[in-house]
Amino acid sequence: MKIDNRSLSRVTKAPGSWRVILLHGEDTGLIRERAQDATRQIAGTTDDPFRVAVLDKETHDRLEEEALALSLMGGRRVVRVRDASDTLLKAVTTVLETTTDTLVILEAPSLPSRSKLRSLLEKRPDCASVGCYPEEGRTLEGTITQMLAAHKVRIAPDALHWLTGRLGADRSAARSEVEKLALYANDSGTLSLEDAHACIGDAGSVSLEDAAFAATEGRRAEADLAIERALTEGISPIAIARAFLNHLHRLRRVRAAMADGESKSDAIKALKPPVFFKRTAGFNRALELWPLPALSDALQETQALELSCKQTGAPDQLLCKRYVATLCGKAARAAKRY
């Protein structure tokens, strides 16, 4: 059965009614989080060796064995399968044709829309197929607000806008920073924009914003390092492309306003969320290097990157690195003219 956002709670809060849960999409952090939530609901923990089995790509051939095994300590078992693909179609079909109460969770971030495995599970009423895609805009703001509310912490609207632009689209990275903010708020209960800046403004963790700013300023070494760290942390190339799209859109918005006669300072002040004061110099530098037509071209190239990364079997990480190198090169060549 295909599960949409309106009925998602049926899966996350009551996974016991399903035999197989397929988690697919671009947000690897969200896939991992939902898999862990479903596992806890069934087994009470994510690391009980008697009730939870985790299979990676090298151990996919054990799926039938683990799914049909009996629990030695009682209670329902969970089998989490990472990097799931259509190669598991036969094994999953066999499991579904056999009487077993084991819950199988398939984590499939790279599963194509025409997947035979996905088609099989979406047709069965006892299986759930859940799309896990990067959150943005109001959806991401709502998620951040809910995460903080769980700690009885509120956040000011301007801080929420700034944080949404800072965190990017990866769910696991967002949760990590929100947990940090909740600890920072402590007993105050409310986070201001200044609190958000103080807590994560200079965070040493992976920042896609760092990569985007470095690339548009022509700082190749810093951009490459930020991208390598992001990919190592599991941030998808699609999330990286969207972070660059957001940064380029903001630059283009200011450039377009300037072309209509508005002053640069007023155009920058009109941005929501505002440019973090420690980023102002870098933002201004990028504006000097990128005229309006060049920004339009860069946006088209970034959209093409996102589309290419969505293609089945595409070398998405290589495409992402090449895109960043190209963007840096254009900025560096522009800098030489000044």
Side-chain angles (χ1 to χ4, degrees), residues 233-276:
E233 289 292 325
I235 297 178
S236 73
I238 293 174
I240 292 173
R242 290 182 176 177
F244 274 72
L245 274 174
N246 178 64
H247 180 56
L248 290 167
H249 270 304
R250 285 162 64 82
L251 288 171
R252 190 184 185 284
R253 194 173 299 129
V254 172
R255 268 293 190 178
M258 292 169 61
D260 288 339
E262 192 170 343
S263 69
K264 182 170 70 173
S265 60
D266 287 343
I268 293 176
K269 288 178 182 178
L271 289 174
K272 300 295 181 183
V275 179
F276 184 35

Side-chain angles (χ1 to χ4, degrees), residues 18-31:
W18 309 103
R19 296 191 61 190
V20 177
I21 297 176
L22 172 65
L23 302 171
H24 61 88
E26 303 155 6
D27 192 334
T28 55
L30 184 55
I31 288 175

Side-chain angles (χ1 to χ4, degrees), residues 103-114:
L103 172 64
V104 176
I105 303 175
L106 304 174
E107 302 173 41
S110 58
L111 198 67
S113 58
R114 296 182 180 180

Side-chain angles (χ1 to χ4, degrees), residues 185-262:
N186 199 9
D187 296 329
S188 66
T190 302
L191 287 163
S192 66
L193 180 59
E194 291 72 21
D195 293 330
H197 287 168
C199 186
I200 71 170
D202 293 321
S205 58
V206 174
S207 171
L208 298 184
E209 191 177 69
D210 291 337
F213 269 80
T216 52
E217 294 172 59
R219 296 184 278 117
R220 173 71 184 275
E222 295 175 46
D224 285 346
L225 179 60
I227 290 299
E228 286 290 348
R229 287 177 175 171
L231 293 172
T232 301
E233 289 292 325
I235 297 178
S236 73
I238 293 174
I240 292 173
R242 290 182 176 177
F244 274 72
L245 274 174
N246 178 64
H247 180 56
L248 290 167
H249 270 304
R250 285 162 64 82
L251 288 171
R252 190 184 185 284
R253 194 173 299 129
V254 172
R255 268 293 190 178
M258 292 169 61
D260 288 339
E262 192 170 343

